[in-house]
């Protein structure tokens, strides 16, 4: 199959066939990560710049490892150590990096739409590693890969996403992806953290977390993003944990073999109790492991797909 | 196929060729000690499974069989239409083994180059031998097969098609004008 996407800006632009193809490709790349020699020459001579304007360990490391395992040269630029602190604009930074002829820029930025903006202005491929509260496509893809691995399918599954939906790019990308793949998505969070009208994107919205997770096949907990929200959205973390935290008690409401997921980093004792985070139903580390394979697939497909046209 | 096609091998012909190759592999390696079969996706994997069966009939023991997908090792990324990557499944160590690579058609040799690079990343085989159902010539690299079902002189504007049935058994090998 061909893959006609030069950029990966969001799940919104991907069809169900595209998503399936990315997951299949990631499945094939997974095997490399368990080899003694974890490297294949697929992207030899390609240059990938990881341009991160926001803090990240998982995503940046994962993209860097993915590029290296495909033999590409990967370079990391973090905003705090770049000319951004000297007042350079996003476009100037990107144009200057582009003059050094990278093949892909992987970017994370606090502004929603920053990747779209760049994609229209540079020639190389752009992969969105998270833009504001908009999308985080590689996270949704690794979530879907993890679910598919454990459940064998995505169609017809009930997936509850609980937490700060408004500020969560993970929730938005998963909502696009999972509904497109035929899963039922239920969203739950405090009224201040669920955007009005989100049900028009195909989700069922609940105010009570227990209703959302009742009978769910997957419970995806979101991180309380203390850096993004003012103090006005929730009274105290303890109260939040009481009503919207997942613990061994309310997890019993979900299907007995329900998966517990979290995009990380976990605020232990807030959205997820330690018993659940480290419990038998938790697939949090599988998500991280699958992240490398999914990102290998994305890097490979944007480079192959772009020129094959 | 409505295009002009010449049948190079029919099902019986393929079977005879594989039986002969199975014997040749055993003769060359003096038995099955340390011999493993690796089929190249897709086509070679089915043929390798049939060779494994035939060798088991002769020697009374199944030798290890692996499947190799060489897409990640190809030298033409960016110029291909199909980007599908299949799974590599080699559930045994290759160190010290006599590996018999199996493919359906040998042409430029680039697939075999990629397959050998791939095997070297997976371990250190004692030797690598090459078995192909059809050798159609036009090599672009210094590679030659050890076991050949049939040598077929071709021109570059012809194609060799191997048709498999739903049980992954080869039905027929055809020469087709493009």
């Amino acid at each position: 199959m061909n893959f006609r996407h030069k950029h990966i800006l969001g799940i919104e632009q991907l069809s169900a066939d595209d998503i399936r193809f990315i997951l299949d490709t990631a499945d094939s790349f997974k095997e490399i990560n368990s080899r003694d020699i974890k490297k294949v020459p697929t992207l030899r001579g390609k240059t990938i710049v990881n341009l991160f304007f926001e803090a990240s360990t998982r995503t940046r490391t994962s993209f860097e490892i993915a590029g290296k395992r495909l033999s590409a040269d990967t370079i990391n630029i973090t905003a705090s150590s770049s000319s951004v602190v000297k007042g350079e604009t996003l476009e100037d930074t990107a144009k200057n990096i582009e003059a050094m002829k990278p093949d892909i820029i992987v970017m994370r930025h606090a502004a929603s739409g920053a990747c779209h903006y760049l994609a229209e202005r540079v020639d190389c491929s752009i992969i969105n590693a998270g833009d504001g509260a908009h999308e985080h496509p590689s996270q949704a893809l690794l979530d879907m890969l993890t679910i598919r691995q454990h459940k064998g399918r995505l169609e017809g599954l009930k997936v509850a996403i609980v937490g700060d939906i408004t500020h969560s790019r993970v929730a938005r990308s998963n909502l696009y992806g999972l509904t497109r793949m035929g899963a039922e998505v239920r969203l739950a969070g405090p009224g201040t953290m669920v955007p009005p009208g989100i049900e028009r994107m195909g989700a069922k919205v609940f105010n009570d977390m227990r209703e959302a997770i009742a009978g769910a096949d997957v419970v995806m907990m979101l991180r309380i993003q203390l850096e993004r929200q003012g103090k006005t959205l929730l009274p105290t973390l303890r109260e939040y944990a009481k009503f919207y935290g997942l613990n061994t008690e309310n997890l019993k409401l979900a299907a007995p073999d329900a998966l517990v997921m979290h995009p990380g980093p976990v605020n232990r004792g807030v959205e997820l109790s330690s018993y659940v985070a480290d419990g038998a139903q938790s697939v949090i580390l599988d998500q991280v492991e699958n992240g490398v394979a999914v990102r290998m697939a994305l890097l490979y497909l944007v480079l192959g797909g772009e020129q094959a046209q | 196929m409505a295009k002009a096609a010449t049948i190079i091998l029919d099902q019986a012909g393929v079977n005879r060729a594989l039986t002969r190759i199975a014997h040749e592999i055993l003769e060359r390696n003096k038995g099955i000690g340390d011999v493993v079969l690796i089929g190249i996706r897709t086509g070679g994997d089915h043929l390798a499974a049939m060779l494994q069966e035939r060798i088991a009939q002769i020697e009374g023991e199944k030798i290890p069989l692996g499947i190799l997908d060489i897409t990640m090792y190809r030298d033409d990324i960016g110029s291909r239409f199909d980007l599908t990557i299949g799974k590599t499944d080699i559930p045994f160590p290759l160190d010290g083994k006599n590996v018999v690579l199996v493919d359906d058609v040998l042409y430029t040799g680039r697939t075999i180059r990629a397959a050998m690079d791939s095997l070297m990343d997976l371990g250190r085989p004692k030797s690598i031998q090459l078995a192909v159902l059809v050798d159609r010539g036009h090599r672009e690299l210094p590679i030659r097969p050890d076991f050949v079902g049939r040598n077929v002189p071709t021109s570059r504007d012809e194609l060799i098609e191997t048709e498999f049935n739903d049980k992954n058994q080869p039905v027929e090998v055809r020469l087709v004008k493009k």
Side-chain angles (χ1 to χ4, degrees), chain A residues 1-4 21 27-29 31-32 35 37 39-43 300 304-305 307-308, chain B residues 71-74 77-88 118 120-123:
Chain A
M1 180 181 154
N2 193 15
F3 184 83
R4 289 172 176 274
F21 188 53
D27 250 340
S28 296
F29 276 125
E31 167 258 334
I32 297 168
R35 289 186 188 177
I37 301 175
K39 206 177 189 68
V40 293
T42 318
L43 297 185
Y300 163 73
Q307 290 149 29
Chain B
T71 320
M72 297 170 203
Y73 286 80
R74 286 175 66 141
I77 183 184
S79 56
R80 279 176 294 132
F81 186 76
D82 188 358
L83 293 168
T84 309
I85 292 193
K87 283 198 180 65
T88 291
S118 175
M120 295 303 182
D121 280 357
L122 291 166

mmCIF file of all heavy atoms in Angstrom, chain A residues 1-4 21 27-29 31-32 35 37 39-43 300 304-305 307-308, chain B residues 71-74 77-88 118 120-123:
data_model
loop_
_atom_site.group_PDB
_atom_site.id
_atom_site.type_symbol
_atom_site.label_atom_id
_atom_site.label_comp_id
_atom_site.label_asym_id
_atom_site.label_seq_id
_atom_site.Cartn_x
_atom_site.Cartn_y
_atom_site.Cartn_z
ATOM 1 N N MET A 1 0.835 -1.195 0.000
ATOM 2 C CA MET A 1 0.000 0.000 0.000
ATOM 3 C C MET A 1 0.876 1.254 0.000
ATOM 4 O O MET A 1 1.969 1.259 0.531
ATOM 5 C CB MET A 1 -0.873 -0.008 1.264
ATOM 6 C CG MET A 1 -1.780 1.209 1.357
ATOM 7 S SD MET A 1 -2.772 1.204 2.859
ATOM 8 C CE MET A 1 -3.051 2.958 3.037
ATOM 9 N N ASN A 2 0.383 2.294 -0.604
ATOM 10 C CA ASN A 2 1.124 3.557 -0.577
ATOM 11 C C ASN A 2 0.616 4.408 0.578
ATOM 12 O O ASN A 2 -0.440 4.183 1.131
ATOM 13 C CB ASN A 2 0.953 4.293 -1.900
ATOM 14 C CG ASN A 2 1.944 5.437 -2.023
ATOM 15 O OD1 ASN A 2 2.916 5.515 -1.270
ATOM 16 N ND2 ASN A 2 1.699 6.327 -2.945
ATOM 17 N N PHE A 3 1.377 5.405 0.933
ATOM 18 C CA PHE A 3 1.031 6.267 2.047
ATOM 19 C C PHE A 3 1.337 7.685 1.596
ATOM 20 O O PHE A 3 2.488 8.060 1.427
ATOM 21 C CB PHE A 3 1.890 5.873 3.255
ATOM 22 C CG PHE A 3 1.546 6.624 4.496
ATOM 23 C CD1 PHE A 3 0.497 6.210 5.294
ATOM 24 C CD2 PHE A 3 2.281 7.728 4.883
ATOM 25 C CE1 PHE A 3 0.190 6.886 6.449
ATOM 26 C CE2 PHE A 3 1.976 8.421 6.036
ATOM 27 C CZ PHE A 3 0.928 7.985 6.818
ATOM 28 N N ARG A 4 0.288 8.467 1.348
ATOM 29 C CA ARG A 4 0.509 9.758 0.718
ATOM 30 C C ARG A 4 0.441 10.908 1.710
ATOM 31 O O ARG A 4 -0.370 11.797 1.581
ATOM 32 C CB ARG A 4 -0.523 9.969 -0.398
ATOM 33 C CG ARG A 4 -0.277 9.072 -1.580
ATOM 34 C CD ARG A 4 -1.416 9.175 -2.568
ATOM 35 N NE ARG A 4 -1.122 8.376 -3.733
ATOM 36 C CZ ARG A 4 -0.414 8.821 -4.761
ATOM 37 N NH1 ARG A 4 0.057 10.039 -4.779
ATOM 38 N NH2 ARG A 4 -0.170 8.027 -5.788
ATOM 39 N N PHE A 21 -2.503 0.963 8.373
ATOM 40 C CA PHE A 21 -1.216 0.743 7.711
ATOM 41 C C PHE A 21 -0.048 1.166 8.623
ATOM 42 O O PHE A 21 0.965 0.479 8.707
ATOM 43 C CB PHE A 21 -1.183 1.526 6.388
ATOM 44 C CG PHE A 21 0.014 1.220 5.532
ATOM 45 C CD1 PHE A 21 0.327 -0.085 5.191
ATOM 46 C CD2 PHE A 21 0.826 2.240 5.056
ATOM 47 C CE1 PHE A 21 1.425 -0.374 4.393
ATOM 48 C CE2 PHE A 21 1.925 1.965 4.253
ATOM 49 C CZ PHE A 21 2.225 0.659 3.928
ATOM 50 N N ASP A 27 4.100 -2.688 13.786
ATOM 51 C CA ASP A 27 4.180 -4.080 14.219
ATOM 52 C C ASP A 27 5.415 -4.772 13.652
ATOM 53 O O ASP A 27 6.089 -5.538 14.338
ATOM 54 C CB ASP A 27 2.935 -4.833 13.718
ATOM 55 C CG ASP A 27 2.010 -5.204 14.855
ATOM 56 O OD1 ASP A 27 2.474 -5.225 16.010
ATOM 57 O OD2 ASP A 27 0.828 -5.475 14.595
ATOM 58 N N SER A 28 5.706 -4.487 12.379
ATOM 59 C CA SER A 28 6.875 -5.098 11.750
ATOM 60 C C SER A 28 8.175 -4.526 12.306
ATOM 61 O O SER A 28 9.179 -5.230 12.412
ATOM 62 C CB SER A 28 6.830 -4.880 10.234
ATOM 63 O OG SER A 28 5.723 -5.535 9.671
ATOM 64 N N PHE A 29 8.165 -3.245 12.660
ATOM 65 C CA PHE A 29 9.382 -2.637 13.205
ATOM 66 C C PHE A 29 9.660 -3.090 14.644
ATOM 67 O O PHE A 29 10.782 -3.034 15.116
ATOM 68 C CB PHE A 29 9.274 -1.105 13.180
ATOM 69 C CG PHE A 29 9.658 -0.487 11.856
ATOM 70 C CD1 PHE A 29 8.799 0.359 11.171
ATOM 71 C CD2 PHE A 29 10.901 -0.751 11.305
ATOM 72 C CE1 PHE A 29 9.153 0.920 9.952
ATOM 73 C CE2 PHE A 29 11.274 -0.186 10.079
ATOM 74 C CZ PHE A 29 10.390 0.654 9.408
ATOM 75 N N GLU A 31 9.986 -5.843 16.034
ATOM 76 C CA GLU A 31 10.925 -6.958 16.179
ATOM 77 C C GLU A 31 12.368 -6.452 16.329
ATOM 78 O O GLU A 31 13.167 -7.043 17.059
ATOM 79 C CB GLU A 31 10.752 -7.884 14.961
ATOM 80 C CG GLU A 31 11.806 -8.914 14.744
ATOM 81 C CD GLU A 31 12.787 -8.539 13.645
ATOM 82 O OE1 GLU A 31 12.409 -7.769 12.729
ATOM 83 O OE2 GLU A 31 13.926 -9.005 13.720
ATOM 84 N N ILE A 32 12.689 -5.335 15.667
ATOM 85 C CA ILE A 32 14.060 -4.802 15.724
ATOM 86 C C ILE A 32 14.450 -4.450 17.158
ATOM 87 O O ILE A 32 15.597 -4.612 17.563
ATOM 88 C CB ILE A 32 14.157 -3.535 14.847
ATOM 89 C CG1 ILE A 32 13.884 -3.896 13.400
ATOM 90 C CG2 ILE A 32 15.528 -2.870 14.974
ATOM 91 C CD1 ILE A 32 13.680 -2.697 12.522
ATOM 92 N N ARG A 35 16.141 -7.153 19.138
ATOM 93 C CA ARG A 35 17.354 -7.781 18.603
ATOM 94 C C ARG A 35 18.568 -7.411 19.436
ATOM 95 O O ARG A 35 18.529 -6.447 20.196
ATOM 96 C CB ARG A 35 17.627 -7.273 17.188
ATOM 97 C CG ARG A 35 16.668 -7.758 16.147
ATOM 98 C CD ARG A 35 17.151 -7.288 14.788
ATOM 99 N NE ARG A 35 16.178 -7.553 13.744
ATOM 100 C CZ ARG A 35 16.353 -7.188 12.484
ATOM 101 N NH1 ARG A 35 17.459 -6.524 12.127
ATOM 102 N NH2 ARG A 35 15.454 -7.467 11.578
ATOM 103 N N ILE A 37 21.414 -6.468 17.850
ATOM 104 C CA ILE A 37 21.844 -5.284 17.117
ATOM 105 C C ILE A 37 20.580 -4.544 16.709
ATOM 106 O O ILE A 37 19.900 -4.923 15.758
ATOM 107 C CB ILE A 37 22.675 -5.671 15.882
ATOM 108 C CG1 ILE A 37 23.899 -6.465 16.322
ATOM 109 C CG2 ILE A 37 23.084 -4.435 15.091
ATOM 110 C CD1 ILE A 37 24.737 -7.014 15.198
ATOM 111 N N LYS A 39 19.460 -2.064 15.021
ATOM 112 C CA LYS A 39 19.646 -1.044 14.006
ATOM 113 C C LYS A 39 19.441 -1.635 12.628
ATOM 114 O O LYS A 39 19.958 -2.714 12.336
ATOM 115 C CB LYS A 39 21.071 -0.486 14.123
ATOM 116 C CG LYS A 39 21.242 0.936 13.621
ATOM 117 C CD LYS A 39 22.678 1.377 13.868
ATOM 118 C CE LYS A 39 22.917 2.833 13.619
ATOM 119 N NZ LYS A 39 22.259 3.735 14.548
ATOM 120 N N VAL A 40 18.684 -0.948 11.793
ATOM 121 C CA VAL A 40 18.544 -1.339 10.394
ATOM 122 C C VAL A 40 18.889 -0.117 9.535
ATOM 123 O O VAL A 40 18.780 1.010 9.994
ATOM 124 C CB VAL A 40 17.118 -1.843 10.065
ATOM 125 C CG1 VAL A 40 16.824 -3.149 10.767
ATOM 126 C CG2 VAL A 40 16.081 -0.796 10.416
ATOM 127 N N PRO A 41 19.333 -0.347 8.290
ATOM 128 C CA PRO A 41 19.861 0.778 7.501
ATOM 129 C C PRO A 41 18.796 1.567 6.735
ATOM 130 O O PRO A 41 19.145 2.368 5.867
ATOM 131 C CB PRO A 41 20.807 0.081 6.530
ATOM 132 C CG PRO A 41 20.262 -1.280 6.368
ATOM 133 C CD PRO A 41 19.538 -1.635 7.622
ATOM 134 N N THR A 42 17.529 1.399 7.073
ATOM 135 C CA THR A 42 16.437 1.934 6.250
ATOM 136 C C THR A 42 16.566 3.426 5.929
ATOM 137 O O THR A 42 16.348 3.844 4.809
ATOM 138 C CB THR A 42 15.091 1.679 6.962
ATOM 139 O OG1 THR A 42 15.116 0.360 7.497
ATOM 140 C CG2 THR A 42 13.928 1.822 6.014
ATOM 141 N N LEU A 43 16.876 4.257 6.925
ATOM 142 C CA LEU A 43 16.920 5.708 6.691
ATOM 143 C C LEU A 43 18.353 6.238 6.726
ATOM 144 O O LEU A 43 18.595 7.365 7.170
ATOM 145 C CB LEU A 43 16.054 6.444 7.725
ATOM 146 C CG LEU A 43 14.558 6.143 7.694
ATOM 147 C CD1 LEU A 43 13.817 7.034 8.681
ATOM 148 C CD2 LEU A 43 13.975 6.326 6.302
ATOM 149 N N TYR A 300 9.655 6.409 8.729
ATOM 150 C CA TYR A 300 9.822 5.654 7.486
ATOM 151 C C TYR A 300 8.748 6.032 6.458
ATOM 152 O O TYR A 300 9.047 6.268 5.288
ATOM 153 C CB TYR A 300 9.760 4.161 7.815
ATOM 154 C CG TYR A 300 9.516 3.247 6.634
ATOM 155 C CD1 TYR A 300 10.521 3.006 5.705
ATOM 156 C CD2 TYR A 300 8.287 2.633 6.451
ATOM 157 C CE1 TYR A 300 10.298 2.163 4.621
ATOM 158 C CE2 TYR A 300 8.055 1.797 5.384
ATOM 159 C CZ TYR A 300 9.064 1.568 4.468
ATOM 160 O OH TYR A 300 8.837 0.741 3.402
ATOM 161 N N GLY A 304 9.288 7.714 2.768
ATOM 162 C CA GLY A 304 9.003 6.873 1.614
ATOM 163 C C GLY A 304 7.803 7.395 0.853
ATOM 164 O O GLY A 304 7.813 7.477 -0.366
ATOM 165 N N GLY A 305 6.760 7.772 1.605
ATOM 166 C CA GLY A 305 5.497 8.143 0.975
ATOM 167 C C GLY A 305 5.592 9.423 0.178
ATOM 168 O O GLY A 305 5.045 9.541 -0.895
ATOM 169 N N GLN A 307 8.096 10.814 -1.471
ATOM 170 C CA GLN A 307 8.773 10.806 -2.760
ATOM 171 C C GLN A 307 8.176 9.797 -3.716
ATOM 172 O O GLN A 307 8.376 9.891 -4.911
ATOM 173 C CB GLN A 307 10.262 10.523 -2.542
ATOM 174 C CG GLN A 307 10.935 11.702 -1.864
ATOM 175 C CD GLN A 307 12.085 11.255 -0.976
ATOM 176 O OE1 GLN A 307 12.709 10.251 -1.220
ATOM 177 N NE2 GLN A 307 12.361 12.016 0.055
ATOM 178 N N ALA A 308 7.422 8.836 -3.184
ATOM 179 C CA ALA A 308 6.851 7.821 -4.055
ATOM 180 C C ALA A 308 5.767 8.399 -4.961
ATOM 181 O O ALA A 308 5.357 7.788 -5.912
ATOM 182 C CB ALA A 308 6.283 6.672 -3.225
ATOM 183 N N THR B 71 12.559 -5.520 3.354
ATOM 184 C CA THR B 71 12.193 -4.148 2.983
ATOM 185 C C THR B 71 13.056 -3.096 3.674
ATOM 186 O O THR B 71 13.453 -2.100 3.073
ATOM 187 C CB THR B 71 10.712 -3.895 3.329
ATOM 188 O OG1 THR B 71 9.976 -5.052 3.004
ATOM 189 C CG2 THR B 71 10.169 -2.716 2.558
ATOM 190 N N MET B 72 13.357 -3.320 4.970
ATOM 191 C CA MET B 72 14.127 -2.320 5.725
ATOM 192 C C MET B 72 15.559 -2.189 5.208
ATOM 193 O O MET B 72 16.252 -1.252 5.544
ATOM 194 C CB MET B 72 14.197 -2.718 7.197
ATOM 195 C CG MET B 72 12.866 -2.770 7.886
ATOM 196 S SD MET B 72 13.098 -3.524 9.491
ATOM 197 C CE MET B 72 11.452 -4.113 9.823
ATOM 198 N N TYR B 73 15.991 -3.184 4.427
ATOM 199 C CA TYR B 73 17.371 -3.181 3.943
ATOM 200 C C TYR B 73 17.468 -2.823 2.465
ATOM 201 O O TYR B 73 18.527 -2.933 1.870
ATOM 202 C CB TYR B 73 17.997 -4.558 4.185
ATOM 203 C CG TYR B 73 18.311 -4.790 5.641
ATOM 204 C CD1 TYR B 73 17.327 -5.167 6.541
ATOM 205 C CD2 TYR B 73 19.598 -4.582 6.132
ATOM 206 C CE1 TYR B 73 17.606 -5.351 7.878
ATOM 207 C CE2 TYR B 73 19.893 -4.763 7.464
ATOM 208 C CZ TYR B 73 18.895 -5.141 8.337
ATOM 209 O OH TYR B 73 19.186 -5.309 9.659
ATOM 210 N N ARG B 74 16.364 -2.413 1.874
ATOM 211 C CA ARG B 74 16.399 -2.100 0.448
ATOM 212 C C ARG B 74 17.139 -0.798 0.199
ATOM 213 O O ARG B 74 17.269 0.043 1.079
ATOM 214 C CB ARG B 74 14.976 -2.023 -0.096
ATOM 215 C CG ARG B 74 14.370 -3.398 -0.233
ATOM 216 C CD ARG B 74 12.945 -3.314 -0.655
ATOM 217 N NE ARG B 74 12.826 -2.765 -1.995
ATOM 218 C CZ ARG B 74 11.956 -3.207 -2.880
ATOM 219 N NH1 ARG B 74 11.153 -4.202 -2.579
ATOM 220 N NH2 ARG B 74 11.879 -2.659 -4.062
ATOM 221 N N ILE B 77 14.555 3.241 -1.061
ATOM 222 C CA ILE B 77 13.491 3.945 -0.334
ATOM 223 C C ILE B 77 13.263 5.290 -1.016
ATOM 224 O O ILE B 77 14.194 5.963 -1.446
ATOM 225 C CB ILE B 77 13.798 4.151 1.161
ATOM 226 C CG1 ILE B 77 12.585 4.814 1.826
ATOM 227 C CG2 ILE B 77 15.067 4.949 1.401
ATOM 228 C CD1 ILE B 77 12.734 5.183 3.258
ATOM 229 N N GLY B 78 12.012 5.676 -1.154
ATOM 230 C CA GLY B 78 11.696 6.937 -1.808
ATOM 231 C C GLY B 78 11.358 6.759 -3.269
ATOM 232 O O GLY B 78 10.768 7.636 -3.878
ATOM 233 N N SER B 79 11.703 5.615 -3.860
ATOM 234 C CA SER B 79 11.357 5.433 -5.261
ATOM 235 C C SER B 79 10.388 4.277 -5.441
ATOM 236 O O SER B 79 10.141 3.818 -6.536
ATOM 237 C CB SER B 79 12.615 5.212 -6.104
ATOM 238 O OG SER B 79 13.348 4.127 -5.602
ATOM 239 N N ARG B 80 9.844 3.804 -4.334
ATOM 240 C CA ARG B 80 8.915 2.688 -4.428
ATOM 241 C C ARG B 80 7.495 3.168 -4.212
ATOM 242 O O ARG B 80 7.252 4.126 -3.496
ATOM 243 C CB ARG B 80 9.246 1.636 -3.365
ATOM 244 C CG ARG B 80 10.381 0.747 -3.783
ATOM 245 C CD ARG B 80 10.723 -0.190 -2.678
ATOM 246 N NE ARG B 80 11.242 0.507 -1.527
ATOM 247 C CZ ARG B 80 10.829 0.288 -0.296
ATOM 248 N NH1 ARG B 80 9.880 -0.563 -0.050
ATOM 249 N NH2 ARG B 80 11.369 0.961 0.685
ATOM 250 N N PHE B 81 6.573 2.455 -4.799
ATOM 251 C CA PHE B 81 5.167 2.803 -4.603
ATOM 252 C C PHE B 81 4.637 2.122 -3.343
ATOM 253 O O PHE B 81 3.959 2.717 -2.526
ATOM 254 C CB PHE B 81 4.356 2.380 -5.827
ATOM 255 C CG PHE B 81 2.927 2.829 -5.751
ATOM 256 C CD1 PHE B 81 2.597 4.160 -5.996
ATOM 257 C CD2 PHE B 81 1.923 1.942 -5.412
ATOM 258 C CE1 PHE B 81 1.284 4.586 -5.906
ATOM 259 C CE2 PHE B 81 0.607 2.366 -5.325
ATOM 260 C CZ PHE B 81 0.287 3.694 -5.572
ATOM 261 N N ASP B 82 4.980 0.856 -3.186
ATOM 262 C CA ASP B 82 4.465 0.072 -2.070
ATOM 263 C C ASP B 82 5.434 0.151 -0.890
ATOM 264 O O ASP B 82 6.599 -0.175 -1.011
ATOM 265 C CB ASP B 82 4.299 -1.383 -2.512
ATOM 266 C CG ASP B 82 3.594 -2.200 -1.458
ATOM 267 O OD1 ASP B 82 3.271 -1.653 -0.383
ATOM 268 O OD2 ASP B 82 3.350 -3.391 -1.718
ATOM 269 N N LEU B 83 4.929 0.612 0.233
ATOM 270 C CA LEU B 83 5.794 0.803 1.410
ATOM 271 C C LEU B 83 5.591 -0.278 2.463
ATOM 272 O O LEU B 83 6.133 -0.192 3.556
ATOM 273 C CB LEU B 83 5.494 2.166 2.045
ATOM 274 C CG LEU B 83 5.882 3.370 1.192
ATOM 275 C CD1 LEU B 83 5.293 4.642 1.774
ATOM 276 C CD2 LEU B 83 7.392 3.497 1.124
ATOM 277 N N THR B 84 4.802 -1.278 2.134
ATOM 278 C CA THR B 84 4.490 -2.305 3.129
ATOM 279 C C THR B 84 5.755 -2.995 3.640
ATOM 280 O O THR B 84 6.627 -3.360 2.862
ATOM 281 C CB THR B 84 3.569 -3.375 2.494
ATOM 282 O OG1 THR B 84 2.480 -2.693 1.881
ATOM 283 C CG2 THR B 84 3.065 -4.345 3.535
ATOM 284 N N ILE B 85 5.840 -3.130 4.955
ATOM 285 C CA ILE B 85 6.949 -3.872 5.563
ATOM 286 C C ILE B 85 6.376 -5.103 6.245
ATOM 287 O O ILE B 85 5.509 -4.991 7.093
ATOM 288 C CB ILE B 85 7.691 -3.003 6.601
ATOM 289 C CG1 ILE B 85 8.415 -1.864 5.890
ATOM 290 C CG2 ILE B 85 8.673 -3.837 7.408
ATOM 291 C CD1 ILE B 85 9.414 -1.142 6.742
ATOM 292 N N GLY B 86 6.849 -6.264 5.841
ATOM 293 C CA GLY B 86 6.356 -7.498 6.460
ATOM 294 C C GLY B 86 7.160 -7.831 7.707
ATOM 295 O O GLY B 86 8.136 -7.160 8.034
ATOM 296 N N LYS B 87 6.747 -8.878 8.386
ATOM 297 C CA LYS B 87 7.438 -9.263 9.625
ATOM 298 C C LYS B 87 8.575 -10.228 9.340
ATOM 299 O O LYS B 87 8.465 -11.117 8.511
ATOM 300 C CB LYS B 87 6.449 -9.939 10.571
ATOM 301 C CG LYS B 87 5.542 -8.988 11.276
ATOM 302 C CD LYS B 87 4.920 -9.679 12.480
ATOM 303 C CE LYS B 87 4.005 -8.748 13.218
ATOM 304 N NZ LYS B 87 2.833 -8.339 12.428
ATOM 305 N N THR B 88 9.670 -10.031 10.046
ATOM 306 C CA THR B 88 10.750 -10.999 10.037
ATOM 307 C C THR B 88 10.535 -11.922 11.216
ATOM 308 O O THR B 88 10.263 -11.467 12.325
ATOM 309 C CB THR B 88 12.102 -10.279 10.163
ATOM 310 O OG1 THR B 88 12.343 -9.561 8.952
ATOM 311 C CG2 THR B 88 13.238 -11.257 10.387
ATOM 312 N N SER B 118 20.952 -8.175 6.161
ATOM 313 C CA SER B 118 19.994 -8.381 7.236
ATOM 314 C C SER B 118 20.416 -9.559 8.126
ATOM 315 O O SER B 118 20.399 -9.466 9.353
ATOM 316 C CB SER B 118 18.619 -8.623 6.612
ATOM 317 O OG SER B 118 17.694 -8.935 7.583
ATOM 318 N N MET B 120 23.382 -10.723 8.595
ATOM 319 C CA MET B 120 24.592 -10.374 9.346
ATOM 320 C C MET B 120 24.259 -9.552 10.592
ATOM 321 O O MET B 120 24.961 -9.603 11.585
ATOM 322 C CB MET B 120 25.558 -9.573 8.457
ATOM 323 C CG MET B 120 26.097 -10.351 7.278
ATOM 324 S SD MET B 120 26.943 -11.850 7.791
ATOM 325 C CE MET B 120 27.495 -12.469 6.231
ATOM 326 N N ASP B 121 23.167 -8.767 10.505
ATOM 327 C CA ASP B 121 22.747 -7.994 11.676
ATOM 328 C C ASP B 121 22.085 -8.880 12.720
ATOM 329 O O ASP B 121 21.966 -8.509 13.880
ATOM 330 C CB ASP B 121 21.755 -6.892 11.266
ATOM 331 C CG ASP B 121 22.468 -5.678 10.678
ATOM 332 O OD1 ASP B 121 23.710 -5.686 10.655
ATOM 333 O OD2 ASP B 121 21.777 -4.737 10.242
ATOM 334 N N LEU B 122 21.609 -10.038 12.294
ATOM 335 C CA LEU B 122 20.886 -10.916 13.220
ATOM 336 C C LEU B 122 21.807 -11.937 13.880
ATOM 337 O O LEU B 122 21.424 -12.607 14.817
ATOM 338 C CB LEU B 122 19.768 -11.651 12.474
ATOM 339 C CG LEU B 122 18.609 -10.762 12.009
ATOM 340 C CD1 LEU B 122 17.735 -11.504 11.010
ATOM 341 C CD2 LEU B 122 17.775 -10.318 13.197
ATOM 342 N N GLY B 123 23.019 -12.098 13.360
ATOM 343 C CA GLY B 123 23.916 -13.077 13.932
ATOM 344 C C GLY B 123 25.114 -13.273 13.029
ATOM 345 O O GLY B 123 25.362 -12.498 12.115
#
